[in-house]
Amino acid sequence: MKLKPEDLDKIRQRMKSTSSLREGAGKARVNVHLGTCGIASGAREILKAFLDAKAEAGAQDVLITTSGCAGLCNKEPMATIELAGEAPVKYIELTPEKVRRIFKEHVLGGRAVAEYALALGSERIS
Amino acid sequence: MEDLALHVIDLIDNSLAAGATRIAVRVEERPGADRLLVQIADNGHGMDPETLARALDPFFTTKPGKPVGMGLALFAQAARESGGGLEVESSLGGGTTLRAVFGLSHPDRKPLGDISGTIGLLQQAHPQVAFVFDHTIVEEEPNEAQTRRS
């Protein structure tokens, strides 16, 4: 993808139109962890996969953002998904294929994909 | 990190953590001098002199809950390995500017990667921040006095 300087401005204006959702009215919030560890293990493709899935579904009420290291570097790439009124779910060792399923079943469908989630025991460092 | 675009994500993440609302990335190729400049300037909260002095130390971080802070150290290493180096300018309240110089044709210089596309992704995820990207190729011999600022 080759972007011209004015393209960034267009993206900003387009995404700003969803700014009301950023103040808490959205249905779901996806946070892709972009720490050094996440980036080195492929988080850019994960962010792209979430943005593509959102665009494909036309899901205006889903907020996709990024933050730093989630603290489990050996489980990266990771993303945290929060649906309005529910506990956040952390997903580990993501791939673009897993992202597409998580977006469909959890973000849009409301059912967490347990097999990709951070579960009891998987937080061990070894 | 496979390419410089991945380093740029990492450094932009630092700028975002510093509360920046404007992040400007500039790539300048100078084939005449065999130099590649990658500059990231933000208007975040900046660093005090003590933090700045330790910023390139991989075992120093300001983020709670972790013992290491690799991002800036790895970027500096990537620059050094290509015969260049990294300068960091920062002051509390005055933002931070990173200026990395690489040997353009050095065999150990990492490829640029898709920097503009990468910044496009980050712009979508952070529409409240104004990202600026600029990539130029400067053909003539650079004037060292103009490019070096202290």
Side-chain angles (χ1 to χ4, degrees), chain B:
Chain B
M1 302 275 173
E2 289 167 16
D3 57 40
L4 297 177
L6 294 182
H7 284 282
V8 167
I9 305 180
D10 203 359
L11 303 164
I12 286 177
D13 182 56
N14 289 345
S15 295
L16 292 168
T21 55
R22 185 179 189 281
I23 302 171
V25 179
R26 178 173 176 76
V27 175
E28 202 175 279
E29 294 182 46
R30 292 181 174 267
D34 196 26
R35 281 288 181 253
L36 168 72
L37 173 86
V38 178
Q39 178 176 293
I40 297 151
D42 72 45
N43 65 349
H45 57 55
M47 290 178 264
D48 60 36
E50 293 73 32
T51 307
L52 178 59
R54 300 192 64 191
L56 299 185
D57 178 350
F59 298 102
F60 174 76
T61 182
T62 56
K63 293 171 186 163
K66 61 194 196 102
V68 293
M70 308 293 287
L72 211 44
L74 289 173
F75 189 51
Q77 182 186 31
R80 272 199 314 276
E81 284 174 354
S82 73
L86 173 68
E87 280 177 22
V88 187
E89 262 180 47
S90 188
S91 61
L92 265 190
T96 298
T97 298
L98 310 174
R99 207 173 288 114
V101 175
F102 297 83
L104 182 61
S105 66
H106 195 289
D108 290 330
R109 200 261 298 165
K110 294 186 188 187
L112 275 173
D114 181 8
I115 294 189
S116 69
T118 295
I119 293 174
L121 293 178
L122 291 167
Q123 179 69 85
Q124 289 181 67
H126 298 278
Q128 76 284 9
V129 175
F131 286 90
V132 181
F133 175 65
D134 176 55
H135 185 169
T136 53
I137 298 173
V138 183
E139 294 295 346
E140 80 270 36
E141 205 65 26
N143 182 336
E144 283 293 312
Q146 282 177 4
T147 54
R148 190 177 299 153
R149 274 180 259 157
S150 58

Side-chain angles (χ1 to χ4, degrees), chain A residues 1-3 5 8 11-12 14-16 22 34-36 39-40 44 47-48 51 64-69, chain B residues 1 3 5-6 9-10 13 71 74 114 116-127 129-131 133:
Chain A
M1 177 156 91
K2 191 75 185 164
L3 279 186
L8 289 172
I11 293 172
R12 187 158 60 245
R14 177 163 52 83
M15 300 306 280
K16 262 189 181 165
R22 290 177 187 267
L34 286 186
T36 307
I39 296 164
R44 174 173 53 182
L47 173 60
K48 184 170 187 304
L51 288 167
I64 293 172
T65 189
T66 71
S67 71
C69 173
Chain B
M1 302 275 173
D3 57 40
L6 294 182
I9 305 180
D10 203 359
D13 182 56
L74 289 173
D114 181 8
S116 69
T118 295
I119 293 174
L121 293 178
L122 291 167
Q123 179 69 85
Q124 289 181 67
H126 298 278
V129 175
F131 286 90
F133 175 65

